[in-house]
Amino acid sequence: MGSNTMRREILIGSRVPPVHDGNEPLPVITTRRGSGAPRRRTRGSPSVLSWLVCVLTVMTGHAYAQVELTGTYAIRMYEDYIERGPGSYLGDFTGMPMSDEGRAKALRYSSSLPSTIERQCLAQSPWVGLYRPLALRFWSEVDDSGRVVAWVMAGDYLRDTVRIWMDGRPHPSPNAWHPSSGFTTGHWEGDTLVARTTHVKTAWIRRGVGIPASDQSTFTAFITRRENLLTITTIQEDPIYLTEPHVVSRVWEFDPRGSQGPLRDTCTVGVEIPSLEDTGEVPHYLPGQNPEEDFMVRAYNIPKEAAMGYAHTLYPEYRKTLRPVYTPPASCGRYCCGWIERQGLPGAAPGLTCNDGNLPAALKKAITSTER
Amino acid sequence: MRRILCSAIALGCALALLAGEAIAQTRGARGGAASARAEAPIDLTGQWVAVISEDWRWRMITPAKGDIVSVPLNLLGQQTAEAWDPARDEAAGEQCKAYGAPGLMRGPIRMRISWQDDNALKLETDYGTQTRTLRFGESAAAAPGPRSWQGLTAAQWIVRGGGRGTPRFGSLKTVTTNLRPGYLRKNGVPYSDRAVFTEHWDVHSLPNGDKYLVNTNVVEDSVYLQAPFQTAIHYKLERDTSKWDPTPCDARF
């Protein structure tokens, strides 16, 4: 008995949030008899039971087939570097299938808005790790029989860990209390863990650009580990701010040393702009007054429509619209270098025009000293 | 006596499970007894469209010269990208340098995948009108021939399950070599003829019937890259194939 109690504490006690509605962990299922437990004998039944277990085991063996996901996965930021690193440009909604309402709300976004206490965690939501520059960590929670009850995903900028329940529990009622991580269930389809997340809170989809996601959003995530590569594909649906599912696929690489260090699991709030405190002021732009609404036109010669997140701009046929109006900029002005900004740093090639995006001198110095 | 019987049953169960798995693995790996088409654990055939929801500015259009962000180029790679000259490529008849397999798959493509024969999948794209053959088994060991934009692709089903009535599932792994030097991006981000392009192909289905093909891929190139270039690209299955629009290679747009 004592060992069971300890096991529960070790497995789920320290990491599980307070028990609420359908999000509470199931009690540990004990299938082994304790040493002092009475032994029940049923004459003649063991062989029948054994056969039954055998048949069921053989039949369902692969229903529980799964890939070991436990571990830390290092970011491989070879896609959407700007969005995930320094942050998107205001007015850059390229690649997004936004509704008119979503677009209008995004254009009201000001860079000071996330500094208001009420909105400091809006950038953090389940699966936001796909838009962030740091690692992910997975671990499993098992019951006493060794069965995985839940997979847990933690990562930078999550407001909470995402717990993917694998025990078949239903999603709670729409009105149930739910944490910022929403409610997620999962099952295996072959080697892919398929997760479905509901009960999320209002959030921003991309970093620093104000593309909204409503609390009606749902996510279907496909998590596949192939050798050391972890691929997560999320399909986000939002009847309020998206006109079609928003699909993102990203890659991480297993890091056996877990060298990313502690991951920030939670969002914390604090006063960032004292002048905003207790004023009730909400930084914003009025419709038509966002000075960055045409930024992508000015900086990259992209037609305004292409930057405003219309779904039809995501498909190859849109190039017919682009061809007569688009010419590449004469040069690259910002965030142009390879996977790391190297202008003026050791390793930078002489004579390259690659622009470093005006990295702060202190950061340059830090990188330089680290590399030396 | 009962213990002996239970032990025997347990042993039988274990052997049955192992046998089922082994049968599936053997069938998947051998490829001799049955054709690749017959052994396919997933259906890749159909018309797939790239959904450009990532890196839009680098995939949908030609970015500015020198815009090489996100790609782990080494110094030679950066210098080569800085020297990109589409006019020179056109003069050399190399308008298709951005349409080689590693660059093509990230492009704004529609691709049609079909069985060329029982042991080869044919992948055609409208963008650049390219054709790549994914060869299974012995056909992949054919003489490589001259280097080409699409190279030589060896394909292998990764199969699990399938024993004794259990679900059979899997994915496709391909490795492409024998490539002509080309571009990872339209603006001259280079890969060399030593590049090795490894892809893992997964098909995911949604309850509403939508299907997505996710291609997790790695470009390794000791000449121009300082680390493997690892990305995932997604495509959506199209039932309506009317938007197929073959266009020739274009070195500029």
Side-chain angles (χ1 to χ4, degrees), chain B residues 150-178:
Chain B
Q150 302 309 316
L152 180 65
T153 301
Q156 179 188 18
W157 294 122
I158 306 298
V159 183
R160 289 190 55 200
R164 301 189 184 278
T166 57
R168 189 163 182 272
F169 51 85
S171 61
L172 176 67
K173 178 180 180 180
T174 59
V175 178
T176 300
T177 54
N178 205 42

Side-chain angles (χ1 to χ4, degrees), chain B residues 70-92:
Chain B
S70 298
V71 184
L73 291 177
N74 60 23
L75 299 183
L76 180 60
Q78 293 189 33
Q79 289 169 325
T80 304
E82 292 276 348
W84 172 61
D85 182 354
R88 185 181 59 207
D89 289 339
E90 289 168 345

